[in-house]
Amino acid sequence: MNKKLLIKINSLDIEPDSIHIDLITQNTPLSSEQFEKLFLNHYNSNILEEIINSLHFLKVNDPKNKKNGIVFCPNCLSKGIAYFKRKWLLTSSIVCCECNSYLMDYCPNCFKHFSYWDTTKKSELVNNSITSCRCGLDISKFSFPLSPTQLEIDYQKYIDFTIENGFNNHTQYSFTYLNTLMFTASMIKKIIKSPKYKKKLNKIYPDLIIDIEVPTNKWTLSERQYLLPIAYYLLDNFPNRIKEVFPKKYNLKKEFGQLPYWFEKELIFR
Ligand SMILES: [Zn+2]
Ligand SMILES: [Zn+2]
């Protein structure tokens, strides 16, 4: 695979072009149906078009973002043909509910981000099994020593339902929930710096410490694993819980666009 193709590999997560389709189908043990399902654009046929837009936003797809490795569930990789699942690409994915395991984006042996190619040499593909780290560890043989909390599992099940069905009990358009979730997570990060709001948050979450300085689209998996279930919990029982901690005045960053009416009418126009 040449360098030019590798640079484009991030947008390939969304939709493969014909060069990639040919190249990959010649080298994959997956059936063409299984292969097609690996790409984010496959969501298109099942759910609302708007969700695709939100997935683009939610996805960590900045190729220059060196902090993010490829996300995986070690246990899923040990079952049958190993492949990296489409849903692991989504920013909203933090645990695997089927395996009751945390997702990972680093090798538990050398602690480097897991990657298909060797970032120390320019764009050179790693030439062995897709489950082998450069240090030699087979990540599919690893089992994460901690299990996700009930809140994290509940969060992921809710998100998976939302994406699969295109709606949830907050909204009939799932993209508005996903956007609001990210917004809420970024607000938690911001308001915890103010003693007044920290106190309010600590009533719900005692001992909450948040030390995340990077913008939302650069959050690593561990930052998302920490913040998104908290945001989900605050949005649960809407609008009661979030009303307790949400400031009456705030500046909405452009990256979130327009917040949905169901959110604004309870929290902004009051
Ligand atoms: Zn799994
Ligand atoms: Zn390693």
Side-chain angles (χ1 to χ4, degrees):
M1 200 181 278
N2 68 34
K3 219 189 270 176
K4 222 174 174 183
L5 285 175
L6 277 172
I7 291 163
K8 286 172 73 183
I9 214 153
N10 269 63
S11 53
L12 195 143
D13 293 339
I14 300 165
E15 189 172 18
D17 57 33
S18 56
I19 302 169
H20 288 102
I21 293 174
D22 291 347
L23 192 73
I24 300 169
T25 42
Q26 286 158 20
N27 292 287
T28 179
L30 299 177
S31 69
S32 59
E33 201 191 332
Q34 287 171 317
F35 169 69
E36 278 167 25
K37 282 186 187 164
L38 294 176
F39 300 93
L40 291 171
N41 69 341
H42 194 80
Y43 281 114
N44 229 341
S45 55
N46 310 334
I47 55 170
L48 297 168
E49 199 188 316
E50 288 93 335
I51 297 170
I52 300 297
N53 296 333
S54 74
L55 293 177
H56 284 268
F57 168 74
L58 284 171
K59 195 178 149 299
V60 182
N61 68 347
D62 181 354
K64 293 186 198 103
N65 190 353
K66 296 264 190 295
K67 282 175 79 184
N68 291 297
I70 293 164
V71 176
F72 58 91
C73 166
N75 195 41
C76 280
L77 289 177
S78 70
K79 296 176 193 163
I81 300 169
Y83 68 97
F84 288 80
K85 293 189 179 179
R86 178 184 56 180
K87 69 173 168 189
W88 300 339
L89 293 166
L90 305 179
T91 302
S92 52
S93 293
I94 60 164
V95 298
C96 174
C97 296
E98 291 99 77
C99 305
N100 192 35
S101 169
Y102 283 105
L103 297 182
M104 300 175 72
D105 65 348
Y106 63 90
C107 164
N109 185 43
C110 65
F111 297 101
K112 289 200 174 121
H113 280 304
F114 196 72
S115 177
Y116 299 122
W117 52 87
D118 189 344
T119 44
T120 56
K121 295 173 207 153
K122 270 198 175 165
S123 298
E124 220 169 272
L125 265 183
V126 179
N127 215 357
N128 44 21
S129 156
I130 61 162
T131 64
S132 291
C133 178
R134 292 186 293 271
C135 73
L137 183 87
D138 183 344
I139 53 164
S140 68
K141 303 240 158 62
F142 180 76
S143 120
F144 203 88
L146 297 171
S147 294
T149 63
Q150 192 56 49
L151 175 67
E152 288 160 343
I153 292 285
D154 290 347
Y155 157 84
Q156 195 64 66
K157 282 187 176 162
Y158 192 75
I159 293 293
D160 291 352
F161 175 92
T162 301
I163 289 176
E164 197 173 311
N165 296 286
F167 67 91
N168 60 27
N169 59 6
H170 286 83
T171 167
Q172 46 182 318
Y173 303 107
S174 57
F175 71 102
T176 75
Y177 178 78
L178 298 172
N179 194 35
T180 308
L181 178 83
M182 289 300 283
F183 169 73
T184 306
S186 74
M187 279 303 280
I188 298 167
K189 183 178 79 109
K190 202 167 157 187
I191 63 177
I192 198 139
K193 287 180 187 148
S194 140
K196 182 179 152 196
Y197 289 108
K198 188 177 189 309
K199 212 172 151 190
K200 288 182 178 187
L201 263 175
N202 282 349
K203 273 193 195 157
I204 303 172
Y205 266 98
D207 310 319
L208 185 65
I209 299 164
I210 293 172
D211 188 17
I212 299 170
E213 287 304 327
V214 288
T216 39
N217 63 344
K218 298 242 160 72
W219 287 352
T220 62
L221 176 64
S222 63
E223 285 158 349
R224 291 183 276 126
Q225 281 170 330
Y226 191 63
L227 277 174
L228 294 182
I230 301 173
Y232 158 79
Y233 185 72
L234 287 183
L235 286 170
D236 193 25
N237 187 21
F238 186 83
N240 302 340
R241 198 171 287 142
I242 193 164
K243 253 185 176 167
E244 300 285 315
V245 295
F246 200 83
K248 288 206 169 121
K249 278 187 182 166
Y250 77 103
N251 290 320
L252 183 60
K253 277 195 195 153
K254 262 198 217 137
E255 60 179 313
F256 297 102
Q258 177 75 41
L259 285 172
Y261 183 67
W262 60 266
F263 186 84
E264 283 196 324
K265 82 169 182 239
E266 298 292 347
L267 292 154
I268 316 294
F269 310 131
R270 55 178 170 149

